[in-house]
Amino acid sequence: MADTKKKQEREELHRAIWAIADELRGRVSGIHFMNYVLSTMFYRYISEHIANYINENEVKAGNVNFDYSQISDIEAEMTRGDLVKEIGFFILPSELFCNVRAKAKDDNNLNETIEKVFRNIEESAKGTESEQNFSGLFDDFDVNSKTNLGETVNERNRKLLKLLDGIANMNLGNIKNHDIDVFGDAYEYLLSKYASNAGQSGGEFFTPADVSELLTRLGTVGKEKINKVYDPACGSGSLLLKAVKVLGKDNIDGFFGQESNPTTYNLCRINMFLHDIGFHKFDIKCGDTLISPAHKDDGPFDLIVSNPPYSIEWEGDNNPLLINDARFSPASVLAPRGYADMAFIMHSLYLLSSHGAAAIVCFPGIMYRRGAEQKIRKYLIDNNFIDCIIQLPSNLFFGTPIGTCIMVLKKCKENNKTFFINASNECIKATNNNKLTQSNIKKIVETFANKNEEQYFSHLATQDEIVRNNYNLSISNYVQAKDTREKINIVEINAKIAEIVKNEQKLRSEIDTFIKEIEK
């Protein structure tokens, strides 16, 4: 009963949050206004976080009526150095969200005020351990955008005031309550809503929560603690953070990711903070993972989870140095220039620990295409690195209806067989997309963990089987699809036809007799 009430309250909060976010943007498309809403929510969060952190320490020291938001900036400056070392950033009392919002209505230079506050937050971390986590964090919050905020300064300030008020009115509870991660939950909810409304581009920055959970559970079977989790194409960080739900924050030593899109990179760093991941525990980098990998020296990783972009172009054999790269050279061939999918797989395999697991969403074409991709599949199978291939239902992801696959990689397997699961029907219809339920996830994970063979659902294939199929890893080669067509009983149908013919002959005979009687 308590869980049902909590779920209802959460759903009501989500509806209220989206209503505010939707109303705030006005005529501007949601995807373009997303960064304003999420960055402002983050600004509120870190303001409340630093104020609460200081107030709690003062109460412990006996100063029970202390309120950081009410002291002078001069007095606060004395604590700057220690605070940056402890929590990674610093905000003056006058620049806290609550104080900026309180004065916003009468601030004719509100756009400049907000720009200054955000710049000061970023600069507070300069030259410290947390600098890379804050540098450029608010770059996508353009206080002077005519397109998103208005043609004139007054229009833009009215919009910014509306934004501050809207975020302030979101019922996100007290930051002290860490049992309910309301800020992080609200942020994830808004990301998913913006992604679903963004069509094709939505999938570029957000992996649905159900798929994220499935990947994480596949990669952590039998584990209660891991050293580090890594995503080479981390988007907004939803996959990295799902490990917190599955294992618990204290059972993960570090979070590592790389993202090529600067806007999405900022969303990911904000997401880490909003889920209370300390600046010293995460390392998110911006850049091209395949060409300029940022975490080659941070591995190996016990858990790699990823939903890399499908079949994008990359340098491939146009760059003669790549074939000598330790990530790609073992296969003696590079992924095709027009299809980088296998490059992400080889990159992940290189950084995987000897007892770790990588669960990667794959475009189905890489399972059967010939040429370089077939050669890479041969290398992976011959060296016993592929643990499992799972066919997912269609229409799970934002912006694409295709049925993708999951490839699970391991470096130390119990045998040289590869497990195949056809989970194409393990879903329910939810609004415009299909969705994995907890029951679907449980069935897939338990089948995978126990390597249970089930007709029409799963099969443990030998290496010889795969070789006979020319290293084609399409599920249909190993798991027969169940014939759902209506079965026809030929004997019964023939009997019915014979009965119909017999009755027809009898009827014709009766008609002939009747006609002869009339003619007489």
Side-chain angles (χ1 to χ4, degrees):
M1 189 69 179
D3 288 341
T4 302
K5 184 180 179 183
K6 186 176 178 180
K7 182 181 178 183
Q8 289 174 343
E9 289 175 349
R10 184 169 174 263
E11 289 173 352
E12 286 174 10
L13 174 60
H14 284 177
R15 283 194 292 269
I17 288 171
W18 181 245
I20 293 170
D22 201 38
E23 195 269 337
L24 281 171
R25 68 178 174 87
R27 292 189 300 273
V28 180
S29 67
I31 193 68
H32 287 118
F33 202 64
M34 173 179 66
N35 294 301
Y36 289 94
V37 175
L38 297 176
S39 294
T40 307
M41 185 188 295
F42 174 63
Y43 171 39
R44 173 183 162 181
Y45 170 81
I46 59 174
S47 292
E48 294 181 9
H49 177 63
I50 191 171
N52 182 66
Y53 182 86
I54 296 169
N55 291 345
E56 282 190 342
N57 285 332
E58 288 292 331
V59 169
K60 288 177 184 176
N63 195 355
V64 293
N65 295 317
F66 184 85
D67 185 349
Y68 181 71
S69 67
Q70 300 302 311
I71 69 171
S72 70
D73 287 352
I74 295 174
E75 186 180 352
E77 277 289 355
M78 294 187 294
T79 64
R80 177 187 287 269
D82 290 337
L83 281 169
V84 173
K85 285 181 182 178
E86 292 165 15
I87 62 175
F89 67 97
F90 180 75
I91 305 177
L92 290 167
S94 66
E95 296 183 343
L96 292 171
F97 176 87
C98 61
N99 288 333
V100 171
R101 186 228 175 183
K103 298 174 182 176
K105 190 175 181 181
D106 301 315
D107 188 350
N108 294 326
N109 299 307
L110 181 59
N111 59 331
E112 294 179 6
T113 299
I114 292 176
E115 186 175 44
K116 178 187 173 186
V117 169
F118 288 176
R119 185 172 62 248
N120 287 345
I121 293 172
E122 290 181 10
E123 290 182 350
S124 72
K126 274 192 174 179
T128 71
E129 188 183 348
S130 61
E131 178 177 357
Q132 67 142 344
N133 294 328
F134 281 89
S135 179
L137 200 55
F138 295 101
D139 280 356
D140 295 297
F141 197 108
D142 185 358
V143 297
N144 294 308
S145 172
K146 293 181 179 180
T147 303
N148 293 329
L149 299 178
E151 288 290 330
T152 68
V153 172
N154 286 338
E155 281 183 82
R156 296 196 283 274
N157 283 342
R158 280 198 298 271
K159 196 78 170 183
L160 290 169
L161 174 60
K162 199 174 184 181
L163 183 61
L164 291 173
D165 285 342
I167 299 300
N169 291 329
M170 285 184 179
N171 184 19
L172 299 175
N174 194 317
I175 194 100
K176 294 178 183 179
N177 188 357
H178 289 293
D179 294 330
I180 305 173
D181 184 14
V182 184
F183 272 95
D185 177 65
Y187 189 80
E188 287 287 320
Y189 169 74
L190 284 173
L191 278 171
S192 68
K193 286 291 288 182
Y194 282 127
S196 64
N197 285 7
Q200 184 68 33
S201 62
E204 294 176 7
F205 63 84
F206 189 78
T207 299
D210 50 340
V211 181
S212 298
E213 182 171 346
L214 174 60
L215 289 169
T216 305
R217 292 197 181 280
L218 290 169
T220 56
V221 166
K223 294 185 176 73
E224 295 181 357
K225 185 178 177 65
I226 59 172
N227 67 345
K228 293 171 276 191
V229 57
Y230 171 63
D231 185 348
C234 62
S236 57
S238 53
L239 271 170
L240 289 172
L241 289 163
K242 193 57 66 174
V244 175
K245 177 181 178 180
V246 174
L247 295 175
K249 186 170 58 178
D250 295 335
N251 293 317
I252 305 167
D253 293 338
F255 301 78
F256 295 78
Q258 188 164 351
E259 171 57 41
S260 61
N261 184 308
T263 297
T264 312
Y265 160 67
N266 288 335
L267 289 177
C268 182
R269 290 187 294 168
I270 289 174
N271 211 0
M272 292 290 143
F273 283 115
L274 286 176
H275 282 82
D276 201 27
I277 307 298
F279 70 91
H280 57 284
K281 284 194 72 171
F282 74 86
D283 186 358
I284 310 299
K285 292 290 200 307
C286 187
D288 186 329
T289 301
L290 299 180
I291 306 303
S292 303
H295 297 295
K296 283 180 73 173
D297 297 329
D298 295 311
F301 300 99
D302 283 350
L303 174 62
I304 298 177
V305 281
S306 191
N307 179 19
Y310 309 141
S311 301
I312 60 167
E313 293 185 0
W314 76 306
E315 290 186 9
D317 56 18
N318 273 346
N319 184 340
L321 298 178
L322 288 174
I323 193 60
N324 296 317
D325 190 307
R327 297 171 296 162
F328 310 125
S329 59
S332 301
V333 66
L334 294 171
R337 289 195 297 272
Y339 306 101
D341 312 70
M342 280 296 189
F344 279 105
I345 287 171
M346 291 297 294
H347 169 87
S348 298
L349 179 65
Y350 176 79
L351 290 175
L352 186 63
S353 72
S354 59
H355 296 287
I360 304 167
V361 179
C362 304
F363 185 78
I366 72 165
M367 301 298 171
Y368 58 79
R369 288 193 294 238
R370 293 183 175 274
E373 289 174 309
Q374 183 183 37
K375 291 177 182 177
I376 296 173
R377 292 197 303 271
K378 182 179 186 302
Y379 164 76
L380 294 171
I381 290 295
D382 288 351
N383 288 277
N384 203 28
F385 290 135
I386 299 181
D387 189 40
C388 185
I389 302 291
I390 302 170
Q391 175 65 56
L392 293 175
S394 60
N395 209 29
L396 280 181
F397 296 88
F398 301 118
T400 177
I402 63 170
T404 56
C405 304
I406 293 174
M407 181 183 289
V408 181
L409 299 170
K410 288 183 180 178
K411 287 184 174 177
C412 293
K413 289 166 56 181
E414 295 178 357
N415 54 52
N416 66 346
K417 296 181 179 181
T418 301
F419 198 49
F420 291 85
I421 299 176
N422 181 8
S424 56
N425 294 317
E426 289 296 314
C427 65
I428 60 168
K429 180 72 175 176
T431 61
N432 296 325
N433 286 77
N434 289 326
K435 179 179 174 59
L436 301 172
T437 65
Q438 286 299 311
S439 176
N440 297 141
I441 293 171
K442 183 180 180 182
K443 180 179 179 180
I444 295 169
V445 173
E446 287 185 352
T447 301
F448 164 75
N450 299 315
K451 298 296 189 288
N452 291 330
E453 291 193 280
E454 179 183 332
Q455 188 178 20
Y456 308 125
F457 188 68
S458 57
H459 175 60
L460 190 60
T462 64
Q463 199 170 46
D464 288 341
E465 282 181 77
I466 297 173
V467 172
R468 286 198 300 271
N469 281 310
N470 294 317
Y471 297 94
N472 185 321
L473 299 180
S474 296
I475 294 288
S476 58
N477 288 323
Y478 307 95
V479 182
Q480 181 184 359
K482 187 175 183 180
D483 189 350
T484 57
R485 293 175 299 179
E486 183 180 355
K487 292 183 179 179
I488 298 173
N489 189 324
I490 298 297
V491 174
E492 186 178 316
I493 287 177
N494 285 336
K496 286 182 179 179
I497 291 173
E499 184 68 25
I500 291 170
V501 171
K502 180 180 177 182
N503 290 335
E504 182 184 14
Q505 289 173 341
K506 181 181 178 183
L507 183 59
R508 283 184 181 278
S509 177
E510 290 175 352
I511 291 172
D512 289 343
T513 302
F514 179 69
I515 290 173
K516 287 178 182 178
E517 289 294 329
I518 292 174
E519 288 176 344
K520 286 181 181 180

